[in-house]
Amino acid sequence: MKAIVAVKRVIDYNVKVRVKADNSDVDLANTKMSINPFCEIAVEEAVRLKEAGTVSEIVVVSVGPKAVQEQMRYAMALGADRGIQVETAAAPSSLDVARLLAKINEEENADLFILGKQAIDSDNNQTGQMLAALLDIPQATFASEVKIADGKAEVTREVDGGLVTLEMDLPAVVTTDLRLNEPRFAALPKIMQAKRKPLAVKTVEELGVTLSNSTELLSVEPPAERQAGIKVGSVDELLDKLRNDAQVL
Amino acid sequence: MKTLIIAEHENGAIKSATLSAVTAAAALGAPVDLLVTGNDVAAAAQAASQVAGVSAVLTAEDAALAHPLADLIAPVAKQLAGDYTHILVGASTFGKDLAPRLAALCGVNQISDIIEVIDADTFKRPIYAGNAIATVKSSDATKVITVRGTAFAAAASEGGSAAVSAANATVGTAKVRFVRADVTESDRPELDSADIVVSGGRGVGSKEDFAKVFELADKLSAAVGASRAAVDSGFVPNDMQVGQTGKMVAPKLYIAVGISGAIQHIAGMKESGVIVAINKDEEAPIFNIADYGLVGDLHDILPELVSKI
């Protein structure tokens, strides 16, 4: 069984985002970049399925400039077998990424697609669902448990109010939620090994996909700051403020 | 111009995420239709028809739609999409699951989690966990949008009198089957629509000590939330998580107990009306955004609060 895992290079989740002075976008110059945390969970899940003997090959795909190879090599250090980079300059839309993944799959014919539920930069939460739609295959988003048996995937999803479990025919798309697993650390020998794993580079033109970003970014502003209030000295004072000043009790 | 909202409903009632989407749709200034899908939708369709500001209710009824599967609902909505310039869904897990699938079927991009309607093509949405607000403009003929519930007041669930009719759409067969739901049973209000939320963090200390948080919440008829640290520590289940990777809340009163105030938690609650922070660490970042801060041991403060409210 072949699994395709898509990964995105994003600002490291520990770095505080700054908006550019001209409000054109956020400032990513000289910023630490990492694999999107949800994508890392997706890679880990695929590796666990491989260790369990369910998955035989893991193909990691990333869309973007050459720098994304850094995150692809990291995914390979975790256990992905080979990589396909789709070279693009700008960050394409979720629909474009889904179309590129669908095109890649014409050659790859994967049985399972594991993607992060969202990237922590654009916070879109779209690509997995779009890929499932384009391939006309089932989806299970926000997964907290994945079991594969007899050509089917049983996936528990984290939804408002609790958990829902679905059974899907394969091929299928799974998007990962935080608690699906805790990714391992990449050991040094694995990092060295990963440098020798095959990594193919394809262009958007080669794949015959026309990028179609119909959503234009007009401006980016910092959010309205909330001001610090006052410290109160006791429970009585707190209740007094809440009852009489704020009038919320 | 015309807007379709795909309704989320439970036990014959329209969920608050959908009612917020109705308010967002009103800002577009075009007629608003609601699509109600399910197995037996009579009660939900009736409730939908009474929502203020709704022009028409369309129903898609089929045994296969008994559970809200995006794989089935997206193609139903796709068949109706030609009549609409905008298709909105609340940004709940239902909407986030469904909207991108529908957008891809329509061949359009999707706009996630809008917090403001500038005009029919232009919207504001948070990016980077709310640390930046983007203004985006869409040129797609059909705009598929999810609406952040905390940014729009819920439309009144009474006062409307929309006509109900069956949608002209067929229901396909899914390659996915519902197995089971493990729903958290609770008499408390829901997190995303409660007037008061009491949330506990790692500082609460243990699963057992979290009872004190529940006690205060019950005294206030409040919903209970938690920080990711409390969830990761196993104090409470993940569906109680407030923050970037959990739920977005904006109650009138938010009481943060033993929560330090990580960026990702603040992203989920900073739109609250009044924020109270109770923490023994007076340097905790949560105090920078709290209207009222009380420094002290929550294990003493919580019982005192309960006894004095």
Side-chain angles (χ1 to χ4, degrees), chain B residues 155-271:
Chain B
S157 54
E158 281 175 30
S161 56
V164 178
S165 62
N168 186 16
T170 55
V171 179
T173 48
K175 292 173 261 186
V176 53
R177 289 157 297 279
F178 172 87
V179 178
R180 67 179 171 272
D182 302 298
V183 178
T184 313
E185 294 291 341
S186 173
D187 296 332
R188 296 187 180 89
E190 287 195 43
L191 253 182
D192 51 9
S193 55
D195 281 341
I196 304 179
V197 172
V198 182
S199 284
R202 201 200 304 271
V204 174
S206 69
K207 193 172 179 175
E208 292 67 35
D209 283 322
F210 223 90
K212 297 191 180 96
V213 177
F214 283 107
E215 206 179 333
L216 176 61
D218 289 345
K219 190 83 189 224
L220 294 166
S221 303
V224 180
S227 69
R228 183 174 158 193
V231 171
D232 285 349
S233 303
F235 299 171
V236 289
N238 190 45
D239 61 314
M240 287 171 60
Q241 189 195 142
V242 172
Q244 180 193 8
T245 51
K247 290 204 172 66
M248 300 289 165
V249 303
K252 292 186 180 119
L253 173 61
Y254 187 90
I255 304 179
V257 180
I259 291 176
S260 63
I263 291 173
Q264 87 93 21
H265 182 75
I266 289 173
M269 47 65 86
K270 68 184 165 70
E271 305 302 324

Side-chain angles (χ1 to χ4, degrees), chain A residues 4-8 35-45 61 94 97 101 113-120 123-131 140-143 173-178 180:
Chain A
I4 285 183
V5 180
V7 301
K8 186 174 185 183
I35 185 170
N36 177 47
F38 292 104
C39 301
E40 190 177 358
I41 292 171
V43 175
E44 174 68 31
E45 194 63 19
V61 181
S94 301
V97 173
L101 289 170
F113 303 82
I114 312 181
L115 288 81
K117 75 166 179 179
Q118 74 190 68
I120 62 166
D123 281 338
N124 275 325
N125 197 330
Q126 298 173 353
T127 306
Q129 296 90 311
M130 288 178 159
L131 176 63
T141 49
F142 327 138
V173 173
V174 172
T175 77
T176 63
D177 216 320
L178 268 184
L180 180 58

Side-chain angles (χ1 to χ4, degrees), chain B residues 12-28:
Chain B
I14 304 299
K15 303 265 269 183
S16 67
T18 302
L19 297 174
S20 293
V22 172
T23 301
L28 294 166

Side-chain angles (χ1 to χ4, degrees), chain A residues 14-32:
Chain A
N14 282 315
V15 175
K16 185 155 170 53
V17 173
R18 290 181 316 275
V19 173
K20 283 184 185 170
D22 65 358
N23 285 357
S24 60
D25 205 338
V26 300
D27 190 356
L28 294 181
N30 304 315
T31 303
K32 185 183 178 198

Side-chain angles (χ1 to χ4, degrees), chain A:
Chain A
M1 178 180 297
K2 186 191 283 184
I4 285 183
V5 180
V7 301
K8 186 174 185 183
R9 173 182 168 92
V10 298
I11 188 170
D12 186 86
Y13 78 104
N14 282 315
V15 175
K16 185 155 170 53
V17 173
R18 290 181 316 275
V19 173
K20 283 184 185 170
D22 65 358
N23 285 357
S24 60
D25 205 338
V26 300
D27 190 356
L28 294 181
N30 304 315
T31 303
K32 185 183 178 198
M33 303 293 279
S34 296
I35 185 170
N36 177 47
F38 292 104
C39 301
E40 190 177 358
I41 292 171
V43 175
E44 174 68 31
E45 194 63 19
V47 173
R48 289 185 189 193
L49 288 168
K50 191 178 176 193
E51 287 168 346
T54 312
V55 164
S56 52
E57 188 186 25
I58 302 168
V59 182
V60 60
V61 181
S62 192
V63 178
K66 188 156 197 272
V68 303
Q69 291 187 7
E70 188 188 334
Q71 280 64 44
M72 297 176 69
R73 292 292 177 197
Y74 184 77
M76 291 179 195
L78 292 179
D81 296 293
R82 62 186 169 91
I84 302 171
Q85 179 209 351
V86 182
E87 177 94 33
T88 60
S93 72
S94 301
L95 182 64
D96 289 335
V97 173
R99 283 175 170 160
L100 291 166
L101 289 170
K103 198 73 191 178
I104 283 171
N105 191 55
E106 285 180 11
E107 270 183 35
E108 296 290 342
N109 286 311
D111 307 283
L112 183 63
F113 303 82
I114 312 181
L115 288 81
K117 75 166 179 179
Q118 74 190 68
I120 62 166
D121 51 1
S122 53
D123 281 338
N124 275 325
N125 197 330
Q126 298 173 353
T127 306
Q129 296 90 311
M130 288 178 159
L131 176 63
L134 296 177
L135 297 177
D136 192 21
I137 60 175
Q139 71 186 44
T141 49
F142 327 138
S144 62
E145 192 179 7
V146 176
K147 292 185 208 159
I148 310 268
D150 308 324
K152 291 181 171 39
E154 190 176 287
V155 179
T156 300
R157 306 176 52 226
E158 303 218 352
V159 298
D160 296 334
L163 302 171
V164 163
T165 303
L166 302 177
E167 183 195 69
M168 304 186 288
D169 297 342
L170 295 178
V173 173
V174 172
T175 77
T176 63
D177 216 320
L178 268 184
R179 296 202 307 172
L180 180 58
N181 60 53
E182 275 189 44
R184 67 198 64 193
F185 291 101
L188 188 60
K190 299 269 188 190
I191 292 173
M192 301 310 290
Q193 239 176 4
K195 290 181 180 166
R196 294 191 299 271
K197 290 185 178 176
L199 194 162
V201 180
K202 292 184 188 289
T203 64
V204 174
E205 294 73 32
E206 265 177 75
L207 291 168
V209 173
T210 311
L211 296 186
S212 65
N213 198 347
S214 51
T215 309
E216 186 189 351
L217 182 64
L218 297 184
S219 67
V220 175
E221 309 147 59
E225 289 292 329
R226 217 182 152 106
Q227 299 301 318
I230 55 164
K231 292 253 172 66
V232 293
S234 67
V235 165
D236 291 322
E237 193 187 343
L238 175 62
L239 287 174
D240 175 62
K241 295 285 184 199
L242 292 178
R243 286 189 177 119
N244 300 316
D245 290 0
Q247 301 191 338
V248 286
L249 284 187

